[in-house]
Amino acid sequence: MRDNNSAFVSIGEPLLDVPALRADTPGCETVIHFNNAGCGLLARPVHRAIVEHLDLEARVGGYEASDARAVQVGDFYAAVADLIGSGPGNIAFAASATDAYTRALSSIPFEPGDVILTTRNDFISNQIAFLSLRKRFGIEIVHAADHPDGSGVDVDAMAALMRARRPRLVAATQIPTNSGLVQPVAEIGRHCRELDLMYLVDACQSVGQYPINVDEIGCDFLTATCRKFLRGPRGTGFLYVSDRVLRAGYEPLFIDMYGARWTGPDTYRPVDTAARFEDWEFPYAAVIGSAVATRYALAVGIEPISRRTPELATRLREQLAQIPGVRVLDRGPRPAALVTFDVAGWSPQPFKQAMDHRRINSALSFREFAQFDFADKDITWAMRLSPHYYNTEDEVDAVAGAVAALAASPSAGR
């Protein structure tokens, strides 16, 4: 890799023009943004597309503006389809990954005694949704064991549970929000296909960071947000729905006039596409902004992004591991760009405030976010830093230096 003063940074081919990408990202001028796992910085074309549509709504009216920009709105579905290897008709817009996830869950006719098979490293909102289903419908939640080597779920053990329990749903989060662990979702998917089991994947932290192909994963549903590594606006996400789910007639519990046709006083018919999972009302400026963000990521190149972003995280982990009082918490052979650690002698909020004071954007994770994982690690909180491809090695070094300085004065954080 060349240093930060060169025009290009390369981890393999093709090259990423990091200075140009930073110039296209206004936030790089004011902060060191290491909270991309929370919300990525908007690129100028994304910001411009959102503002231009809001201006159009102000001039001509909201309905009229969306009619005038129908092509740009429609490109959201085409762009996301290009990103994950599906057809546009398999994509539904959602307000967030959690919104998409609950719409998918609501389409499954759970009955008492049905099993949801999942992992011990799942997203908090997904686990709460499962518990809510258990409370209301009497389902059973089964958590597959982790592999002893720390690489994530034990796929063989999970497959054995699939055969023994015949779950109504298998669910996995590819990258949990509380660590850099990357779960083997394609391996899980192969077993689901062999046993004809329904499979739901949360790709909230992986979309925009790694190549995603829904056929290779073998999922029936896949959910994601647009605000994180995809660098889209807040309040946007999507749901992928497989052809077999659509053909089988699955639909959300509360289907909207956009997703169905009222065919008679006592009948309705869902539309044929994943639009049955959508509602009538959309934040059209954000939809268009998400389409532009997706095209932007595709233009930058998901493959080079998937090499550079985790390598920046690796550089950060290696430096943090050398700091007395800092414990790096991520597991797995090739962790993603979510770097988690704790700092001896510090409480969470004072530590984050000290990072904020240095204009370093970060995030905190707490025990309630990851009951199994944080119990295993015997921690109550962790700091999360998440670089992206537009960050630089100099920024990594500066962030590690800031952590080192803070770790050296733990009395300040009590």
Side-chain angles (χ1 to χ4, degrees), residues 48-61 65 69 285:
R48 184 167 57 247
I50 295 168
V51 172
E52 286 179 352
H53 189 78
L54 290 174
D55 287 344
L56 183 62
E57 286 187 345
R59 294 197 306 272
V60 305
R69 295 285 175 83

Side-chain angles (χ1 to χ4, degrees), residues 62-357:
Y63 283 27
E64 293 75 13
S66 62
D67 288 343
R69 295 285 175 83
V71 172
Q72 291 89 338
V73 172
D75 192 50
F76 170 80
Y77 304 93
V80 172
D82 289 345
L83 182 72
I84 67 171
S86 76
N90 299 102
I91 304 301
F93 176 82
S96 66
T98 299
D99 177 43
Y101 204 90
T102 54
R103 289 172 187 265
L105 284 179
S106 80
S107 73
I108 302 171
F110 289 106
E111 296 180 355
D114 281 347
V115 171
I116 292 179
L117 175 60
T118 185
T119 75
R120 301 175 80 256
N121 282 280
D122 204 351
F123 180 52
I124 172 178
S125 293
N126 304 346
Q127 290 290 318
I128 290 173
F130 299 157
L131 292 169
S132 177
L133 288 169
R134 185 175 71 181
K135 181 189 295 185
R136 180 162 297 191
F137 296 110
I139 68 159
E140 184 180 356
I141 308 165
V142 177
H143 295 90
D146 288 335
H147 198 283
D149 67 4
S151 60
V153 67
D154 186 327
V155 177
D156 291 338
M158 196 171 194
L161 287 168
M162 292 181 199
R163 292 189 292 271
R165 303 303 306 274
R166 301 298 304 183
R168 187 71 178 83
L169 176 69
V170 177
T173 296
Q174 188 169 17
I175 302 174
T177 188
N178 51 282
S179 79
L181 177 69
V182 181
Q183 295 275 38
V185 291
E187 294 180 39
I188 298 169
R190 283 194 289 274
H191 291 287
C192 289
R193 289 195 301 273
E194 291 170 3
L195 298 170
D196 195 28
L197 298 176
M198 183 166 290
Y199 185 30
L200 167 59
V201 173
D202 180 336
C204 193
Q205 295 288 4
S206 48
V207 165
Q209 184 178 177
Y210 290 112
I212 301 293
N213 185 289
V214 290
D215 288 336
E216 293 177 2
I217 293 173
C219 54
D220 295 288
F221 295 105
L222 183 137
T223 62
T225 187
C226 297
R227 76 177 188 272
K228 297 179 184 287
F229 290 95
L230 203 55
R231 302 180 62 193
R234 296 195 69 175
T236 61
F238 66 84
L239 169 65
Y240 159 79
V241 186
S242 70
D243 287 333
R244 83 163 186 158
V245 166
L246 293 173
R247 287 194 300 266
Y250 285 82
E251 62 188 54
L253 178 59
F254 297 109
I255 196 165
D256 180 82
M257 61 183 285
Y258 190 80
R261 302 295 174 260
W262 197 12
T263 54
D266 299 315
T267 59
Y268 71 89
R269 176 180 56 79
V271 299
D272 294 333
T273 68
R276 70 180 63 164
F277 288 86
E278 296 179 324
D279 291 336
W280 172 265
E281 184 54 33
F282 289 86
Y284 281 99
V287 173
I288 292 171
S290 296
V292 174
T294 304
R295 293 294 183 198
Y296 192 94
L298 289 167
V300 172
I302 299 299
E303 287 288 350
I305 290 172
S306 72
R307 292 189 291 271
R308 174 165 175 78
T309 296
E311 182 158 305
L312 289 171
T314 297
R315 182 186 181 107
L316 179 59
R317 281 190 195 93
E318 290 173 349
Q319 294 191 41
L320 293 176
Q322 303 303 313
I323 300 172
V326 171
R327 178 171 54 141
V328 177
L329 302 167
D330 304 308
R331 297 173 178 172
R334 290 179 295 277
L338 285 75
V339 179
T340 57
F341 60 96
D342 65 355
V343 186
W346 278 86
S347 297
Q349 292 296 346
F351 191 87
K352 186 180 185 310
Q353 290 166 3
M355 296 287 279
D356 292 344
H357 181 72

Side-chain angles (χ1 to χ4, degrees), residues 382-397:
M383 169 61 67
R384 187 187 71 190
L385 298 172
S386 46
H388 207 359
Y389 60 84
Y390 54 77
N391 291 119
T392 67
E393 287 79 3
D394 282 348
E395 287 182 320
V396 169
D397 298 346

